[in-house]
Amino acid sequence: MKLHLEADELHYTPDQLFQMAARKNPKRAYLFVSKVIGKHIAVNPAVAFQFASQLANKVAEVLPCSKRKTRWKPHTPVSFFGYAETATGLAHAVFREFENASFLHSTRVRFPNVTPLFSFEEEHSHATRHDVYATQTHFHFDRPLVLVDDEISTGNTIMNTIQSLHDKIPRKHYVVASLLDWRTAPEQEAFIALEAKLGCRIDTVTLLKGEREQIGHLTDTDPQWEKCSTHSDVVLKVSSLSSLHALPLDETNLPRRRETGRFGLTSEDQIRVDQWCHQVGECLREKRKGSQTLVLGTGEFMYLPMRIALSMGEGVVMQSTTRSPILVRDTPDYAVRHGLQFDSIEGESLTEYVYNVGEGMYDELFLLLETMPYPAHVQSVVATCKELGIEHVHVYTLAKEKEGSLT
């Protein structure tokens, strides 16, 4: 892959933001692996929030906004939207920089008894369909909509989203915000054509911009993942995060907790969520036993683990599991040097991975889950982590079930 960079006033370099990798996906083999969002590469949570804040400042440049203390206040309400699974934490962290706003993210989790407001396709992905569960209030036609993703290659997913939503709830203004933007000139022209077709304005903001040029093709597709053991006699205690501090938002009849953003949050909700995360982080800080601590979220469950990790003290990094099948190569300058493969911890019938957790890297793990785990699956992951030298393992869930042991 050859990249042609454009100058930017923030002067970020590729090395600061990403590394390259390949994945087992015939639709698109290359992958820009972010170093600052806590997905495939662990990140200091303060660094992740710093880059999200920089992107939020870029968004504020194209919205009527004024700065109030530490947050931006749009002159009219604004809706924010994040893309599953990689950008859920980033988008949520951008949203938290604004007052007078709302947020939700797409999901690949299926809820049979809930009808999505709309769906769209991410054509190049290993899992193409995204569902959006929200009321039309979140996407009110008078509100600008800010679409946040970690990286844009062709822009097709963004255009599919805008087209799908505009068919239901047309609006005048969209903002597309990303850490990286690699659209070619024809692909940028496609955005202009969509503006004309829909009669709307589409602004794009990014921290690093350029054009990509693919050279050659992938020949070695051996994934080199290490499969987690399917047999384990680990006795594991699973505790509810609510046992540390009462959950901040009222219960609803929705199939998952609202704090994640999957079913929509307001700025007022977010203040309570951040306060709760800080309080939980301080509680977990007191429970730490190691000096090199990894906080591991799962799949789309990224923001809450990242914000909790921010309050857990020095020596803490955060990342999450993923569905993305990235090829592992233990070579310098390659983004994914270690990879564990396992059945979904939370019981869905799919395969998950965690990358760049190698032997001797950490002495403590806080595994933070959105739901109650499937016992055999989480036990195998924990057993493998212990084999890698992670002596202290703590498992917490956002679910409110009573704590107990998995044997």
Side-chain angles (χ1 to χ4, degrees):
M1 178 68 66
K2 182 183 289 187
L3 301 174
H4 307 275
L5 301 179
E6 293 185 14
D8 184 89
E9 69 273 11
L10 294 177
H11 305 297
Y12 287 123
T13 65
D15 287 345
Q16 291 176 281
L17 294 172
F18 70 93
Q19 288 179 284
M20 296 299 299
R23 59 184 170 185
K24 202 171 183 179
N25 183 343
K27 301 172 189 175
R28 184 184 296 171
Y30 63 85
L31 190 67
F32 297 93
V33 180
S34 176
K35 298 168 73 172
V36 300
I37 64 172
K39 191 61 182 177
H40 310 311
I41 297 175
V43 65
N44 181 323
V47 171
F49 280 107
Q50 172 192 340
F51 278 93
S53 180
Q54 291 283 5
L55 189 57
N57 292 343
K58 287 279 195 176
V59 171
E61 291 176 4
V62 295
L63 292 175
C65 277
S66 54
K67 192 81 173 192
R68 288 187 55 182
K69 296 182 179 179
T70 60
R71 297 202 293 171
W72 292 100
K73 183 172 183 180
H75 297 169
T76 58
V78 176
S79 297
F80 285 79
F81 179 82
Y83 286 88
E85 67 176 22
T86 304
T88 57
L90 171 66
H92 201 149
V94 172
F95 153 70
R96 78 188 285 265
E97 298 288 323
F98 289 83
E99 300 177 7
N100 201 20
S102 61
F103 168 75
L104 86 161
H105 66 75
S106 68
T107 184
R108 293 189 175 107
V109 179
R110 302 286 176 260
F111 300 112
N113 298 321
V114 185
T115 302
L117 177 64
F118 71 97
S119 301
F120 63 91
E121 295 294 315
E122 185 177 5
E123 295 160 350
H124 65 272
S125 180
H126 54 283
T128 60
R129 177 177 157 181
H130 289 244
D131 290 329
V132 179
Y133 295 95
T135 64
Q136 295 202 10
T137 303
H138 177 83
F139 292 108
H140 195 279
F141 68 90
D142 279 341
R143 294 185 173 191
L145 176 62
V146 182
L147 305 163
V148 183
D149 209 350
D150 60 307
E151 175 262 328
I152 302 173
S153 290
T154 65
N156 288 339
T157 301
I158 299 289
M159 291 194 294
N160 288 344
T161 310
I162 292 174
Q163 183 68 73
S164 295
L165 181 56
H166 206 86
D167 289 342
K168 288 182 173 289
I169 313 172
R171 75 193 59 247
K172 297 178 181 179
H173 190 194
Y174 298 88
V175 180
V176 179
S178 62
L179 297 175
L180 310 173
D181 184 350
W182 303 120
R183 290 174 300 147
T184 63
E187 289 160 350
Q188 294 176 52
E189 290 168 3
F191 271 53
I192 297 172
L194 184 62
E195 281 183 306
K197 173 186 173 183
L198 301 180
C200 65
R201 170 185 164 193
I202 304 175
D203 288 313
T204 59
V205 296
T206 187
L207 298 189
L208 187 65
K209 183 175 175 60
E211 292 190 19
R212 73 198 186 285
E213 180 183 349
Q214 189 167 349
I215 302 171
H217 60 280
L218 185 65
T219 56
D220 181 5
T221 59
D222 177 15
Q224 298 183 20
W225 303 312
E226 178 184 344
K227 292 187 177 181
C228 290
S229 172
T230 55
H231 302 284
S232 172
D233 58 359
V234 171
V235 177
L236 194 63
K237 180 181 177 181
V238 179
S239 302
S240 174
L241 289 168
S242 64
S243 69
L244 302 175
H245 206 280
L247 292 166
L249 302 182
D250 293 337
E251 290 194 61
T252 68
N253 59 357
L254 295 168
R256 298 280 180 94
R257 295 289 311 184
R258 253 192 346 112
E259 286 85 354
T260 65
R262 186 184 285 109
F263 297 100
L265 293 170
T266 65
S267 295
E268 291 74 22
D269 292 331
Q270 185 57 33
I271 292 172
R272 294 194 290 274
V273 168
D274 275 341
Q275 289 172 341
W276 178 80
C277 287
H278 177 67
Q279 291 161 338
V280 168
E282 288 189 324
C283 290
L284 294 184
R285 180 176 184 170
E286 296 300 315
K287 296 179 182 293
R288 288 182 60 190
K289 299 177 180 179
S291 59
Q292 296 171 299
T293 300
L294 173 64
V295 174
L296 184 65
T298 50
E300 298 169 7
F301 185 56
M302 292 183 66
Y303 178 82
L304 269 64
M306 183 166 70
R307 180 60 190 84
I308 289 170
L310 184 67
S311 297
M312 288 178 61
E314 297 297 322
V316 177
V317 294
M318 174 270 168
Q319 68 179 95
S320 97
T321 65
T322 179
R323 299 185 185 194
S324 186
I326 306 174
L327 305 187
V328 175
R329 297 292 182 271
D330 191 9
T331 58
D333 300 323
Y334 186 75
V336 176
R337 302 184 67 170
H338 309 279
L340 299 177
Q341 181 189 44
F342 49 91
D343 293 326
S344 174
I345 293 174
E346 294 174 302
E348 295 180 81
S349 56
L350 54 89
T351 299
E352 287 189 295
Y353 310 86
V354 62
Y355 296 115
N356 294 309
V357 178
E359 186 172 359
M361 291 177 62
Y362 304 106
D363 58 12
E364 185 170 37
L365 170 68
F366 283 83
L367 177 58
L368 304 187
L369 309 173
E370 184 180 1
T371 65
M372 285 298 291
Y374 188 77
H377 297 177
V378 72
Q379 285 172 319
S380 71
V381 172
V382 170
T384 302
C385 288
K386 285 183 173 291
E387 292 171 3
L388 294 173
I390 302 177
E391 181 180 359
H392 310 289
V393 178
H394 318 263
V395 183
Y396 287 87
T397 175
L398 188 64
K400 291 189 67 176
E401 283 85 347
K402 294 180 181 179
E403 68 176 43
S405 297
L406 301 180
T407 57

